[in-house]
Amino acid sequence: MKKAWILCLAGVFLLASACGSTPAPANTPAAGDGGVVPAAEQVLRFGLDVEPETLDPRHARDISASRVFELCGDGLIQLNEKLEAEPALAERWENPDELTWIFYLRQGVKFHDGSDLTSEDVQYTYDTIRDPEFGAVYAANYSSIREVVALDEYTVQFNLSEPYSPILANNMELTIVPAEADSISDFANKPVGTGPFKMAEWVKNEKLTLEVNPDYWGEAPVLQRVEFYTIPSNDTRVSALEAGDVDFVHTPLTPQDVERIKSDDRFQVDELTGLGITFAAFNHKSPLLADKQTRVGLSHFLDKEVMARELSQGLESPGESILVPNTWFYSDAVKGFPFDPEQGKAILAEAGWTDSDSDGILDKDGQKLTVRLSTYTQDDLKMQYVEYMQNLFRQSGVDAQVVTSEWPTFIADVQSGNYDVAVFGMLNLFDPDKYMYNYLRSTAASNWGGYGSAEFDALVEKARTIADEGERRDLYIRAAEINNAEVMHNALVYQGYVAMYNKKIQGYVPHARGSIRSFRSVTIAE
């Protein structure tokens, strides 16, 4: 092996003792200097809604894992709060032609096991995530990469099979793993990265602890530990913030909790327009929903104004399409189906759904119009949306049944097609390619709803190859119109982003993506 792997685990109390004895980074203020707590007490406790499934960045598919990677790993580039690409492990890059990208690595960067970062590690990371036998969930994200070549120890070249305009934003933040990652025992639970923090301990369903990396290549963080606590209930997570058991929580949160915390002088509340959508995913493979008219009729029963203004209390805004506001590709010209129950019932009647036996439930050929509305229990607001949708559907003669489960079960059911209408969301939509190409295109591996529009496919396949944003925008607008017309993902609300934290946390920079990368420069005040 090119590198030897060394990783130490410690118990909670041993870890605290070890951190206390570790020499403070050069930029750590002395105790009492400017009201900053001593180094050993520079600990930030984060309340997570969902525990990461894996900490192998090539297999990860949840946002919680991404938050951890932002602290214990690095990609070739990073996106700042303005969504601009900045150097990370690559100190610079070149794009000599539309099919070639060359990245020049920083020298002297070490993994947590003490081994040096080289272009071999970059090549291995991208080769494995693209390998069909490796089974990466998001392998399709990297389909435009034909090959990765290590030109020398610190230079790596990406050769593309076709032009891919969003390659920096969509591909180059991938956390780089050592070339020996797959020979390291239990790498998915004990990852080795290059970030300012390294894995210390993970007690599943309870607590994940990162400790400072004294050999970090960049500016040494002041924080000595970051502790992630898994608290699925939004209410309980906020109660933990109020009780002082955690220092930081963020979206998803209930509107009532946000308003209460705003009035508490101990905490800071940051509210931003998010980069996400909560949608109702219609399963085209479901026997009842395979008919387009049925999907359209049901869509007229959705009162998105009430969802946004009353249920979310203004934290979110009514959705019209899968184009996210405040992005370069947004257009308010793409409209969804208006809330009009009478029109919805008329459309369903045209599709053959009537109340033939006067029992209050629409039926056709002896079968009742029964629709399962699914979501996951960790998000109270989505639970409210689903319950409200059930009420609206029932008022219009639909036998709506709510099905809820914890996230792992919910997403497994969605991926296997075991749902009718699933309510969940998509985050980090700073470029539409990752969403439209990988989830709504007919041949996409993550097209769980069986969507199949040849025109949609042609549009999103062409858009990813064009450099001009104006041309790409026109194509995505048309694709969004098709999504609405076919009722693939019906945008319920545009998500907001809220972070709530103890005012002792200094230096945190809120990010519409929900990124906590700025924890790298955070300090804890007295």
Side-chain angles (χ1 to χ4, degrees):
M1 291 193 305
K2 181 168 73 77
K3 304 182 179 77
W5 174 60
I6 302 171
L7 187 62
C8 295
L9 285 177
V12 174
F13 297 106
L14 289 177
L15 176 61
S17 174
C19 286
S21 62
T22 300
N27 64 338
T28 303
D33 181 12
V36 176
V37 302
E41 299 176 26
Q42 289 288 335
V43 179
L44 194 156
R45 300 162 300 170
F46 190 125
L48 282 177
D49 61 319
V50 176
E51 182 172 63
E53 291 183 81
T54 176
L55 290 181
D56 185 332
R58 299 163 299 170
H59 281 299
R61 60 183 180 180
D62 55 78
I63 294 298
S64 295
S66 299
R67 301 291 83 93
V68 176
F69 299 150
E70 288 172 341
L71 301 183
C72 70
D74 297 291
L76 293 176
I77 65 104
Q78 65 186 45
L79 296 180
N80 63 21
E81 60 273 13
K82 296 180 181 179
L83 304 179
E84 300 165 332
E86 295 182 339
L89 293 180
E91 58 186 1
R92 62 188 178 90
W93 53 88
E94 297 174 357
N95 180 209
D97 60 65
E98 61 183 9
L99 296 179
T100 308
W101 289 79
I102 303 172
F103 293 84
Y104 300 90
L105 304 183
R106 297 179 189 275
Q107 299 186 27
V109 175
K110 292 185 179 295
F111 284 98
H112 297 152
D113 62 2
S115 57
D116 293 325
L117 168 81
T118 70
S119 56
E120 180 184 343
D121 303 300
V122 177
Q123 180 180 12
Y124 182 79
T125 300
Y126 282 91
D127 281 351
T128 50
I129 199 170
R130 292 161 44 241
D131 184 352
E133 293 187 4
F134 186 75
V137 175
Y138 294 128
N141 286 358
Y142 305 89
S143 61
S144 66
I145 299 174
R146 179 172 58 84
E147 65 175 347
V148 183
V149 181
L151 299 180
D152 59 37
E153 195 171 11
Y154 297 106
T155 309
V156 60
Q157 179 170 307
F158 289 75
N159 297 321
L160 309 187
S161 58
E162 62 181 359
Y164 183 49
S165 53
I167 189 170
L168 289 177
N170 284 357
N171 289 171
M172 296 305 159
E173 279 195 307
L174 175 64
T175 299
I176 302 302
V177 303
E180 287 82 12
D182 296 311
S183 62
I184 295 175
S185 176
D186 203 21
F187 182 82
N189 294 314
K190 303 170 186 175
V192 175
T194 59
F197 296 90
K198 59 184 180 180
M199 192 69 180
E201 184 182 39
W202 188 3
V203 180
K204 292 294 182 71
N205 299 311
E206 292 183 17
K207 177 183 176 184
L208 188 157
T209 302
L210 303 179
E211 63 182 347
V212 70
N213 171 21
D215 299 318
Y216 178 53
W217 57 269
E219 182 178 355
V222 174
L223 290 177
Q224 298 298 290
R225 292 199 313 279
V226 179
E227 299 171 351
F228 295 87
Y229 292 85
T230 302
I231 309 173
S233 165
N234 291 349
D235 292 338
T236 305
R237 200 161 60 254
V238 174
S239 294
L241 176 69
E242 292 175 297
D245 295 326
V246 299
D247 308 302
F248 187 103
V249 298
H250 69 174
T251 300
L253 299 164
T254 59
Q256 297 83 355
D257 288 337
V258 173
E259 290 305 310
R260 187 174 72 255
I261 296 299
K262 282 182 180 179
S263 64
D264 192 324
D265 291 339
R266 296 175 297 167
F267 304 110
Q268 173 69 32
V269 178
D270 294 329
E271 297 181 77
L272 288 76
T273 300
L275 290 171
I277 301 172
T278 295
F279 50 76
F282 281 69
N283 186 359
H284 289 199
K285 294 182 289 187
S286 174
L288 296 183
L289 299 182
D291 174 60
K292 177 180 174 179
Q293 272 191 300
T294 301
R295 301 193 300 269
V296 171
L298 293 174
S299 295
H300 281 290
F301 299 152
L302 300 175
D303 192 340
K304 301 174 184 180
E305 286 285 341
V306 170
M307 291 181 184
R309 306 305 179 199
E310 297 184 22
L311 298 184
S312 85
Q313 295 185 17
L315 292 181
E316 303 186 330
S317 55
E320 291 285 354
S321 79
I322 55 175
L323 303 175
V324 184
N326 299 320
T327 60
W328 59 266
F329 52 89
Y330 176 68
S331 171
D332 60 8
V334 183
K335 299 297 185 183
F337 297 102
F339 175 58
D340 189 339
E342 293 307 313
Q343 184 177 357
K345 284 187 279 190
I347 293 172
L348 288 177
E350 292 176 4
W353 294 103
T354 60
D355 185 8
S356 65
D357 53 8
S358 301
D359 66 350
I361 302 297
L362 300 177
D363 58 84
K364 180 171 68 172
D365 301 329
Q367 182 179 17
K368 294 186 181 301
L369 182 51
T370 299
V371 176
R372 295 170 296 167
L373 304 173
S374 305
T375 196
Y376 54 102
T377 56
Q378 285 92 337
D379 192 328
D380 293 342
L381 191 52
K382 289 184 178 63
M383 293 274 287
Q384 292 182 50
Y385 288 160
V386 164
E387 291 168 357
Y388 180 58
M389 289 168 61
Q390 180 188 41
N391 182 51
L392 292 173
F393 278 24
R394 286 183 170 177
Q395 289 178 14
S396 294
V398 179
D399 177 26
Q401 301 176 358
V402 169
V403 179
T404 62
S405 56
E406 292 190 350
W407 171 259
T409 301
F410 166 77
I411 196 63
D413 282 342
V414 171
Q415 291 172 337
S416 65
N418 183 25
Y419 72 100
D420 293 326
V421 178
V423 174
F424 58 116
M426 196 68 63
L427 302 174
N428 296 333
L429 298 179
F430 42 83
D431 189 285
D433 175 75
K434 186 180 294 186
Y435 179 22
M436 294 192 189
Y437 186 84
N438 292 314
Y439 290 90
L440 302 177
R441 185 173 51 94
S442 61
T443 57
S446 297
N447 176 3
W448 304 313
Y451 312 125
S453 166
E455 183 184 0
F456 182 95
D457 292 353
L459 289 164
V460 299
E461 288 168 1
K462 181 179 180 181
R464 68 197 327 246
T465 68
I466 297 173
D468 183 81
E469 281 190 353
E471 292 183 43
R472 293 186 73 207
R473 179 175 180 269
D474 290 342
L475 295 174
Y476 287 127
I477 288 173
R478 177 56 189 149
E481 292 172 343
I482 294 171
N483 171 81
N484 280 10
E486 295 296 323
V487 196
M488 296 151 70
H489 283 186
N490 189 327
L492 299 176
V493 294
Y494 302 122
Q495 297 175 3
Y497 174 73
V498 180
M500 307 195 302
Y501 51 96
N502 194 300
K503 287 183 177 178
K504 292 181 179 180
I505 296 175
Q506 302 292 314
Y508 165 70
V509 179
H511 198 301
R513 298 172 65 196
S515 170
I516 59 169
R517 191 177 180 87
S518 63
F519 281 11
R520 295 171 176 227
S521 56
V522 154
T523 59
I524 307 297
E526 290 182 330

